[in-house]
Amino acid sequence: MRRSREEAAETRRTAVETASKLYRERGVDSVSIGDVMAALGMTVGGFYRHFESKEALVAEACARAFADAGRTEDSVVASADDGEALAALLRRYLSRAHRDTAASGCPIPSLVSSVAHQPGSIRSTFTEGVRSLLGRIEKLAPEAEPEARLAAVAGMIGALALARAVNDERLSDRFLHDTRTFWTRALGKRRSPTPNPRDKHGRHPATRARHQTEPLP
Amino acid sequence: MRRSREEAAETRRTAVETASKLYRERGVDSVSIGDVMAALGMTVGGFYRHFESKEALVAEACARAFADAGRTEDSVVASADDGEALAALLRRYLSRAHRDTAASGCPIPSLVSSVAHQPGSIRSTFTEGVRSLLGRIEKLAPEAEPEARLAAVAGMIGALALARAVNDERLSDRFLHDTRTFWTRALGKRRSPTPNPRDKHGRHPATRARHQTEPLP
DNA sequence: TGTACATCAGTGAACGCGCGTTCACTGATGTAC
DNA sequence: TGTACATCAGTGAACGCGCGTTCACTGATGTAC
């Protein structure tokens, strides 16, 4: 029954990955260790060769979920046309595809209202993940008001969580579409009427704003 | 052991009220029927004289939570100075007090990321509650862009849920403060540059906007 | 390189626990006369 | 109004179930010689 070191390491990696998907899709409390191990084609007993407790798995799975989602967001940003990165990120984050594939998406909307009752280690990982999303928005909208950036992050997370929670597909779509449209426009605006401000590419902010307010498909 | 009809009705009412508070505070899955009955000073057995199942209690408690929170919001709006109602609602919704008293607050941020896994009856009650909050915002910001109103509702809910979830009190406060500041300003702005539009009070929108952008304490 | 032994990844049954739900029972309330 | 009986709100123990965790066991892997 013993497996090679490589196989064992692979088991551990797959357990964390599978857990991170199941937790995002169904919530931490609704997914048992048995569910995770069954998804690997294994029985529960083997779990404790790899993890000290369920809490340890949750903490690792949460970190993994943020790492994966962060990588996805980075690639969306990287492959966008110049000046279109913010619009591309909003288009992806507030898409039906993201709404309908929670398992591989951003863990924040999936966990936001249950993480308050989780142990501190998990809350810390979550908080770091929120800061990371905020950092992305700050980087992509350096000229926007700081208040607008925080409000935008709250709105992205709220809209996606609501789009998944609500029973009515038209309302769900409106949360995604309207929040995306609003913030694509609003984050393009410059901070305040300072004389002739320019971004790091030397473009005038009005040019950036115009790019970012093109109508979405 | 039998109680009078009035006492029995009171037991039922109190059970729904207590459950609605516990569910908002700790989440539906973390609160057992035993917890609710113990809070009434009763044992679990009596529960089924009043409710068919836990799901039935959850549905009623959820409806009750929305009714209570709606009444609170109505009274905030009603007691605000004319033209200040929207600012007052945002100030109350995105306050530390609301963040720290989930049990008596709006159920949407408490339940938003777990309601997707609940039965349809509960999702419907939740959806109606979301529509109700959106209706309040539409009434208080009739001149704002429709996209802005949806985005504002998503932002209010996201910001409060994040403020509770996050491990860092400074970041928590920023979500509340910045989201409140942003939307108090943004929802005061008029829809689009139409010639001389006036609201139902005959005031010019610019006047309303100026009122609603006064700095918050 | 081959052999003997220790290691340990995974099995599958068992553990105690809390859950939602059921049920025989109690005794005060409500009702029929 | 008073009495006899039926009703039923609440008790407390029991039920089956799934959970997280433990453990004796298995047998292939890893290692020492």
Side-chain angles (χ1 to χ4, degrees), chain A residues 12 20 22 24 28 45 56 58 80 83 106 116 127 150 167 176 189 198 203 211-212:
Chain A
R12 200 196 139 89
S20 91
L22 289 175
R24 279 179 276 181
V28 167
V58 173
C106 177
T127 304
L150 266 285
N167 222 357
L176 296 179
K189 291 185 184 147
R198 291 183 183 272
R203 275 181 276 121
H211 277 200
Q212 289 171 8

Side-chain angles (χ1 to χ4, degrees), chain A residues 2-3 11 42-43 45-46 49-50:
Chain A
R2 192 185 182 184
R3 305 297 156 81
T11 295
M42 281 176 54
T43 58
R49 293 279 162 202
H50 297 290

Side-chain angles (χ1 to χ4, degrees), chain B residues 65-75 132 136:
Chain B
F66 276 109
D68 286 356
R71 220 174 300 117
T72 302
E73 288 162 12
D74 282 343
S75 85
S132 166
R136 273 190 183 78

Side-chain angles (χ1 to χ4, degrees), chain A residues 145 182 186 189, chain B residues 86 141-145 148 182-192 205-206 208-210 212-213:
Chain A
E145 296 176 328
F182 180 87
K189 291 185 184 147
Chain B
L86 178 66
E143 308 267 346
E145 295 176 328
F182 180 86
W183 285 112
T184 303
R185 284 185 200 139
L187 285 181
K189 291 182 186 151
R190 63 201 162 87
R191 190 183 195 123
S192 59
R208 287 175 58 253
R210 201 175 328 119
Q212 289 172 5
T213 51

Side-chain angles (χ1 to χ4, degrees), chain A residues 15 22 28 37 48 57 71 77 81 132 158 160 184 190 202 212:
Chain A
L22 289 175
V28 167
M37 299 311 279
Y48 292 89
L57 174 64
R71 220 173 301 117
V77 167
D81 286 348
S132 167
L160 188 55
T184 304
R190 62 202 164 85
Q212 289 171 8

Side-chain angles (χ1 to χ4, degrees), chain A residues 60-71:
Chain A
E60 282 201 49
C62 191
R64 168 77 193 252
F66 276 108
D68 285 355
R71 220 173 301 117

Side-chain angles (χ1 to χ4, degrees), chain A residues 15-82:
Chain A
V16 173
E17 186 189 355
T18 302
S20 91
K21 290 184 179 302
L22 289 175
Y23 291 156
R24 279 179 276 181
E25 195 167 28
R26 289 159 44 192
V28 167
D29 292 335
S30 314
V31 176
S32 68
I33 290 171
D35 291 337
V36 174
M37 299 311 279
L40 308 189
M42 281 176 54
T43 58
V44 280
F47 176 80
Y48 292 89
R49 293 279 162 202
H50 297 290
F51 305 95
E52 203 189 303
S53 63
K54 182 177 179 178
E55 184 183 329
L57 174 64
V58 173
E60 282 201 49
C62 191
R64 168 77 193 252
F66 276 108
D68 285 355
R71 220 173 301 117
T72 301
E73 287 162 13
D74 283 342
S75 86
V76 167
V77 167
S79 65
D81 286 348
D82 211 42

